[in-house]
Amino acid sequence: MSLADGVKAAVLLFVAAIAQVSIFSQLHVFGAVPDFLLVSLVALSLLRGSVAGAAGGFFAGLLVDTASLGTLGLTSLVLTLAGYWIGRYGETTGRDRAHAPFLSIGVVTVLYELGLLVVHFVLGESAPAGAVVRSIGPAIVLNLILTAPVYAVVRRLLRPAEREELSAEVQLLG
Amino acid sequence: MLASSVQRSKPTPYPSKARSALIRRTVVVVLVLIALTLVTISFRSPRSGPVHGLQGAGSTALHPFQIAATRVAQPFRDAYSYIDGLTKAKAENKKLKKELIEYRAAQIRAAAAAAKEEQVVKLLHFVQGPTFPNGYRAISTEVTSFPSGPFTHSLTIAAGSANGVRLNSPVVSGDGLVGIVSNLFPHSAKVTLISDPNSYVAARDLQTRVRGGVRPGAGGTLILDQVQKTEVVKQGDEVVTDGTHNARLPDLYPYGIPIGRVTSVGVADTASFLQVQVQPFANLGSLDAVAVLVPTKHR
């Protein structure tokens, strides 16, 4: 990942985090909120790999926690793991698959929501499991709606990395 | 050619693979540890400490961007709120209309029940009151069919011979005399109203003790007939049933059942009797509950 790409990714995540905190967090549709930041992070992770995904998740989570004055590091923790995991998927089985962004969003939305729930629960904060579970379905739908345009924009912004740039532990040798 | 040996190229080593995996894992572990540390510090001292100060500074720095984003999104949010509000208002309007219909129906049911209850209470007062005729018992029942037009002067009640109702038993409401049982079935009976053209009830003015006979008049009123011109009947007097005077010729109606109030008294040169108009106490057009007065002794 070049420096230019790093700057672009940082700007992308900064804008996404600010937009998430200031705009998207107020759009309640059927009890769920579209997660623009998560979709952006997934797109970045798929295109730039696990390290970029983890770092991006950490950075974006830190911004969210700072802007929303929440428990610092909480969102970072969950987004770091989400970015890393999606990045690994993009580096290995998800590479060049057209359905990868949608599948990733579907899975990571569930894991992200449940992950936040678990962390809040562990910290002894309010963890309304019923409300979270009920909102997961609409959240997946909303995030899937955002996936195609966001992924297209991020892909345009960050050209897909060359194979050599990506980690290839599962690469077939022939 | 096939038998010839082929020199395989030397496998390319992947020295960077292990290194990149190590870096990758190190990065994620470090980031997770930093995040956990931040969570711990932030959780332990949410209102003070360096992390709190850092977060405050960060928040202050981010504030202009948040405001800018909010302002940029404001028109879209307004549009969304408008559409959302409109949709919700429409749905709410539909729901409220439905509720209004339900409440109206409930209110009508309640009003009907209250009106019915009022009649039942009046009836109970009459049955338990001092004016209730001796030697009779009351069989309270519901009215199941009502006078359907100007040509019908009868109604059906939900009590019959199986309930102890007898033919020619007087029927009263809480307000006064209604009519007489003219046809009897096991579980129902037909009541001919005092407004029937063939109805005739021996009556007297309660105040002046003047006797006469009540028959139907015009416009739903009654006429106290057979009152001599020499007799005195005043407007506002109450008219009640006269009852039996001769044991050999018992009257169908016991003494003292309220019939109505005198509304006008007229004297015509050509008429033999006073023209006394009586407004019946019982509202014969809207009866819900009545009582059949049955003699306690067989005649």
Side-chain angles (χ1 to χ4, degrees):
Chain A
M1 193 171 177
S2 66
L3 182 66
D5 274 0
V7 172
K8 285 179 188 174
V11 171
L12 168 76
L13 290 177
F14 180 82
V15 171
I18 295 295
Q20 183 62 40
V21 173
S22 306
I23 304 168
F24 286 91
S25 60
Q26 296 177 27
L27 295 176
H28 290 266
V29 183
F30 298 115
V33 173
D35 204 326
F36 179 60
L37 176 60
L38 186 66
V39 176
S40 303
L41 178 66
V42 165
L44 171 72
S45 303
L46 285 173
L47 291 167
R48 282 294 176 268
S50 56
V51 174
F58 180 82
F59 169 67
L62 214 57
L63 282 176
V64 168
D65 289 336
T66 304
S68 62
L69 296 175
T71 305
L72 204 64
L74 197 149
T75 312
S76 282
L77 178 65
V78 184
L79 283 182
T80 300
L81 294 173
Y84 177 75
W85 187 75
I86 293 300
R88 286 301 294 151
Y89 173 67
E91 287 167 350
T92 54
T93 51
R95 184 185 297 172
D96 299 332
R97 303 278 167 86
H99 65 261
F102 301 97
L103 183 66
S104 304
I105 282 296
V107 174
V108 87
T109 300
V110 177
L111 295 178
Y112 176 67
E113 296 285 345
L114 293 179
L116 279 180
L117 182 73
V118 168
V119 175
H120 278 286
F121 178 75
V122 168
L123 290 176
E125 294 178 353
S126 169
V132 170
V133 169
R134 276 194 298 278
S135 71
I136 280 179
I140 291 173
V141 174
L142 292 172
N143 289 351
L144 283 175
I145 292 169
L146 286 176
T147 301
V150 170
Y151 188 74
V153 169
V154 176
R155 191 183 169 88
R156 194 177 174 85
L157 197 68
L158 308 168
R159 285 182 303 103
E162 296 298 322
R163 284 186 175 235
E164 289 73 25
E165 290 181 36
L166 294 169
S167 173
E169 279 186 353
V170 194
Q171 189 176 14
L172 294 174
L173 302 173
Chain B
M1 186 72 179
L2 288 171
S4 62
S5 61
V6 177
Q7 184 71 36
R8 288 178 72 96
S9 60
K10 195 179 175 185
T12 314
Y14 292 95
S16 63
K17 300 259 178 348
R19 217 179 105 235
S20 68
L22 184 66
I23 291 169
R24 189 177 66 235
R25 284 168 192 159
T26 307
V27 166
V28 76
V29 167
V30 167
L31 289 176
V32 167
L33 285 175
I34 293 172
L36 283 172
T37 309
L38 285 173
V39 169
T40 308
I41 296 170
S42 182
F43 189 72
R44 278 179 171 267
S45 54
R47 292 182 187 85
S48 61
V51 171
H52 180 261
L54 206 65
Q55 192 176 18
S59 174
T60 309
L62 288 175
H63 197 62
F65 296 102
Q66 286 181 265
I67 289 175
T70 308
R71 284 189 182 160
V72 167
Q74 191 63 45
F76 300 102
R77 206 162 51 197
D78 288 347
Y80 174 79
S81 299
Y82 176 74
I83 294 167
D84 187 48
L86 205 62
T87 312
K88 280 181 181 165
K90 277 184 179 174
E92 196 175 2
N93 188 32
K94 197 175 172 184
K95 187 184 160 198
L96 288 175
K97 273 185 180 173
K98 194 180 169 188
E99 280 183 9
L100 184 66
I101 290 168
E102 286 173 4
Y103 283 135
R104 271 186 190 157
Q107 193 261 337
I108 289 166
R109 280 199 300 273
K116 204 168 183 175
E117 190 182 327
E118 192 184 351
Q119 288 192 18
V120 172
V121 169
K122 277 185 181 175
L123 194 62
L124 195 66
H125 282 164
F126 172 73
V127 170
Q128 294 176 344
T131 57
F132 188 79
N134 292 327
Y136 284 84
R137 65 185 175 90
I139 300 171
S140 297
T141 181
E142 277 185 299
V143 176
T144 52
S145 79
F146 308 90
S148 58
F151 304 106
T152 311
H153 300 280
S154 63
L155 49 80
T156 310
I157 56 173
S161 55
N163 306 99
V165 175
R166 296 184 210 163
L167 204 60
N168 295 325
S169 298
V171 178
V172 297
S173 72
D175 295 315
L177 187 65
V178 170
I180 197 163
V181 176
S182 57
N183 204 346
L184 193 61
F185 299 90
H187 298 288
S188 61
K190 183 182 173 186
V191 177
T192 297
L193 302 174
I194 51 175
S195 59
D196 185 86
N198 297 320
S199 170
Y200 189 88
V201 182
R204 69 160 59 188
D205 185 320
L206 194 61
Q207 278 71 37
T208 60
R209 316 298 293 173
V210 170
R211 284 179 180 163
V214 169
R215 62 175 176 80
T221 59
L222 303 172
I223 300 292
L224 180 63
D225 205 3
Q226 306 289 318
V227 179
Q228 296 293 331
K229 285 183 177 177
T230 54
E231 304 285 5
V232 178
V233 176
K234 288 180 285 188
Q235 192 177 340
D237 285 354
E238 287 179 47
V239 178
V240 298
T241 53
D242 197 22
T244 301
H245 293 280
N246 187 340
R248 284 186 174 180
L249 299 170
D251 196 85
L252 295 174
Y253 302 94
Y255 172 75
I257 302 173
I259 297 175
R261 191 180 298 282
V262 175
T263 52
S264 69
V265 182
V267 184
D269 293 337
T270 53
S272 311
F273 303 104
L274 285 175
Q275 292 176 328
V276 182
Q277 197 169 40
V278 177
Q279 183 65 38
F281 286 129
N283 187 351
L284 303 175
S286 60
L287 292 165
D288 291 310
V290 294
V292 183
L293 304 183
V294 181
T296 49
K297 292 177 184 175
H298 284 280
R299 291 175 183 172

